[in-house]
Amino acid sequence: MDYLDKALEKLKEWARKLIEALLGSEPQPEAELIPIPVNDRR
């Protein structure tokens, strides 16, 4: 039975992590691109 208890605990932990990943945190805003000057003389 100890094996079953450990397996259930692990499943609960994975389910909690999955739920947190899907619903838990707000999505981070996309970083604003920084223009890079280019010296394009030919």
Side-chain angles (χ1 to χ4, degrees), residues 10-30:
K10 195 57 124 173
L11 285 174
K12 286 179 188 177
E13 182 180 329
W14 287 344
R16 182 183 50 80
K17 286 182 182 179
L18 179 63
I19 290 169
E20 284 179 2
L22 294 174
L23 305 174
S25 63
E26 292 291 320
Q28 297 296 324
E30 229 177 274

Side-chain angles (χ1 to χ4, degrees), residues 23-40:
L23 305 174
S25 63
E26 292 291 320
Q28 297 296 324
E30 229 177 274
E32 187 175 325
L33 298 177
I34 300 171
I36 301 173
V38 176
N39 190 359
D40 193 20

